[in-house]
Amino acid sequence: MVLNPASSATHGGLRLLSALLEARTGQVLSPEREWRAETALKPLLRAYGFGDAAILAAHLARHRDPDLEAAVVDALLNNESSFFRDLQIFGMIRREILPDIRARGKDRRLRIWSAGCSTGQEAYSLAIQLCNDAGHWRGWRIEILATDVSATAIERARAGVFPQMDVQRGLSVNDLIQWFDPVEGGWRANDRLRGMIDFRQDNLLDPHVPSGAYDLLLCRNVMLYFTQERRQKMFGVLQNHSHDHSVLLLGAGETAIGHGDPFVAHPDFRGAYRLPSCAEDAARRAV
């Protein structure tokens, strides 16, 4: 079998760039994702005048270029997101999880962490739900933390400006009109919505999030790109920011089971997780 030299060189370049991605974020670019990587890099290659990924990788190997390295990492990160992604999950949050938190909330304080928030649609969706149900939360102190490893994604999320295509994916007309203002290039989340969310660049493998526990933690479609060892470390971080009644939500293809088991399946909320109770923890250790 004769390899296509150009194809082989491109593959080698992508491997070098994927090593950069892993070193910066911990994410592993599997061979199955190389096709997406080539597509994701095309705008950057055109902007910088590189013919292909191999030439880009060779340039970075010869020259220290922090800005270009950061641009490559941002391009390779999967920042796919949408408003109210998975309506079943958001329905459960609104109808079951939040009322349960409210019933337990003696200090009238709600803390939510959207980890791996990408460009912010998940965090804004949560804020919209809370605003639409504002009567239930009167007198409560609400904190929504949203973090992502990508500086570019966080900048976009903080700005709160979304093109027409993005707002058409998941937002109802009523929510769009009530919580967004038309601006050049699309729609901008209004001051009230943006003021509810603390967007921060952060890495789950080396976190600097505010201390304390969160009532609701969302880390959806983040674990897919990490090794078993790194997933276990990330679950440890989430565990450290949870209390006995915290609820953890993952993506549809993810599970907290088998990673040191810091979390167990939640008995009340389908597909959710919580910390094991003291009794359950003791029973597991005794087995």
Side-chain angles (χ1 to χ4, degrees):
M1 179 179 177
V2 179
L3 292 175
N4 182 324
S7 179
S8 178
T10 298
H11 177 70
L14 287 173
R15 291 189 63 183
L16 288 172
L17 297 177
S18 69
L20 173 63
L21 174 70
E22 185 173 0
R24 292 291 183 87
T25 70
Q27 289 196 19
V28 177
L29 188 67
S30 65
E32 294 77 17
R33 291 175 62 206
E34 280 193 3
W35 68 269
R36 196 199 72 81
E38 291 186 69
T39 301
L41 286 169
K42 283 181 179 179
L44 184 146
L45 293 173
R46 287 195 298 268
Y48 282 85
F50 294 110
D52 55 35
I55 297 173
L56 169 60
H59 173 85
L60 290 177
R62 292 192 303 266
H63 305 285
R64 174 69 175 152
D65 193 335
D67 291 340
L68 180 55
E69 289 175 359
V72 169
V73 170
D74 269 339
L76 292 176
L77 288 170
N78 183 4
N79 288 323
E80 171 67 19
S81 187
S82 60
F83 290 98
F84 294 97
R85 188 176 184 180
D86 194 338
L87 285 174
Q88 183 178 356
I89 292 296
F90 277 93
M92 182 174 68
I93 290 173
R94 185 176 192 179
R95 293 190 300 268
E96 302 177 42
I97 296 177
L98 289 179
D100 183 74
I101 293 172
R102 198 163 57 242
R104 297 178 186 275
K106 295 180 180 179
D107 62 354
R108 300 176 73 80
R109 183 185 187 190
L110 172 64
R111 301 189 83 204
I112 299 175
W113 180 13
S114 171
C117 69
S118 185
T119 46
Q121 286 93 321
E122 179 176 83
Y124 282 116
S125 299
L126 292 165
I128 289 170
Q129 281 193 334
L130 291 166
C131 285
N132 286 340
D133 294 333
H136 295 310
W137 300 99
R138 191 167 291 114
W140 280 67
R141 179 180 175 186
I142 296 175
E143 302 171 22
I144 303 176
L145 173 68
T147 63
D148 198 273
V149 70
S150 169
T152 301
I154 287 297
E155 287 176 8
R156 289 180 57 192
R158 193 177 287 131
V161 177
F162 300 94
Q164 185 69 32
M165 182 184 302
D166 284 0
V167 298
Q168 288 176 334
R169 297 177 62 199
L171 268 184
S172 70
V173 174
N174 286 341
D175 284 337
L176 177 62
I177 293 172
Q178 185 169 5
W179 302 114
F180 290 79
D181 300 317
V183 295
E184 184 177 354
W187 296 79
R188 186 183 192 191
N190 67 18
D191 292 344
R192 179 179 176 185
L193 219 56
R194 285 184 288 109
M196 292 178 66
I197 307 169
D198 180 10
F199 286 107
R200 301 189 184 196
Q201 183 187 8
D202 203 15
N203 189 335
L204 271 171
L205 294 172
D206 182 26
H208 298 86
V209 300
S211 60
Y214 292 83
D215 304 296
L216 175 60
L217 303 93
L218 299 95
C219 188
R220 302 196 299 153
N221 306 307
V222 176
M223 304 285 182
L224 297 171
Y225 309 116
F226 294 90
T227 63
Q228 173 81 4
E229 180 182 359
R230 285 172 178 151
R231 289 175 190 169
Q232 188 165 331
K233 182 176 181 180
M234 293 165 75
F235 278 119
V237 171
L238 296 171
Q239 179 186 33
N240 291 337
H241 289 280
S242 299
H243 55 68
D244 287 344
H245 298 292
S246 294
V247 179
L248 170 65
L249 294 172
L250 304 177
E254 300 168 319
T255 179
I257 308 302
H259 298 88
D261 296 340
F263 292 91
V264 297
H266 201 290
D268 300 320
F269 309 131
R270 184 181 178 88
Y273 299 89
R274 65 173 175 83
L275 297 179
S277 69
C278 295
E280 289 171 332
D281 197 31
R284 286 194 306 114
R285 289 196 299 267
V287 173

